[in-house]
């Protein structure tokens, strides 16, 4: 007896695999978010931020793009916990 598979099963599985691969890639990716001003030696200070955290920050105006760089709009050196309102 031959078992037939629906013709949409293989493309659906391929699409599911691609979606999972993109989610894993996004979970491991990080971005550099710079401070608005340079330090006393003229060097730009940046913090590595995960993709998930960047989405949250950008949604609530905590990170903006200025030219080619992502720039924070609030103090990232504050202790972890509840972040201060950036507005």
């Amino acid at each position: 007896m031959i078992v037939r598979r629906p013709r949409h099963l293989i493309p659906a599985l391929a699409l599911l695999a691609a979606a999972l691969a993109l989610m894993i890639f996004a979970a491991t990716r990080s971005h550099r978010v710079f401070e608005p001003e340079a330090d006393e030696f003229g060097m730009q200070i940046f913090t590595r931020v995960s993709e998930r955290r960047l989405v949250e920050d950008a949604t609530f105006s905590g990170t903006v793009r200025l030219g080619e760089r992502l720039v924070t709009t609030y103090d990232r050196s504050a202790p972890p916990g509840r972040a201060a309102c950036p507005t």
Side-chain angles (χ1 to χ4, degrees):
M1 180 176 201
I2 298 175
V3 178
R4 291 187 158 194
R5 291 189 176 154
R7 66 180 187 177
H8 299 295
L9 181 64
I10 293 175
L13 290 176
L15 187 61
L16 179 64
L20 288 174
L22 289 173
M23 288 175 61
I24 290 170
F25 175 73
T28 60
R29 188 172 180 200
S30 66
H31 300 274
R32 289 189 291 180
V33 177
F34 291 88
E35 295 293 325
E37 294 118 14
D39 68 357
E40 62 268 10
F41 300 110
M43 296 177 62
Q44 288 290 323
I45 300 170
F46 66 88
T47 305
R48 289 241 175 237
V49 178
S50 69
E51 183 85 18
R52 179 178 177 268
R53 179 69 181 175
L54 181 64
V55 169
E56 291 174 6
D57 285 355
T59 301
F60 298 108
S61 300
T63 304
V64 294
R65 180 177 291 279
L66 294 176
E68 295 289 319
R69 294 184 172 187
L70 296 171
V71 178
T72 186
T73 58
Y74 64 94
D75 184 16
R76 289 189 180 273
S77 63
R82 190 168 181 157
C85 181
T87 55

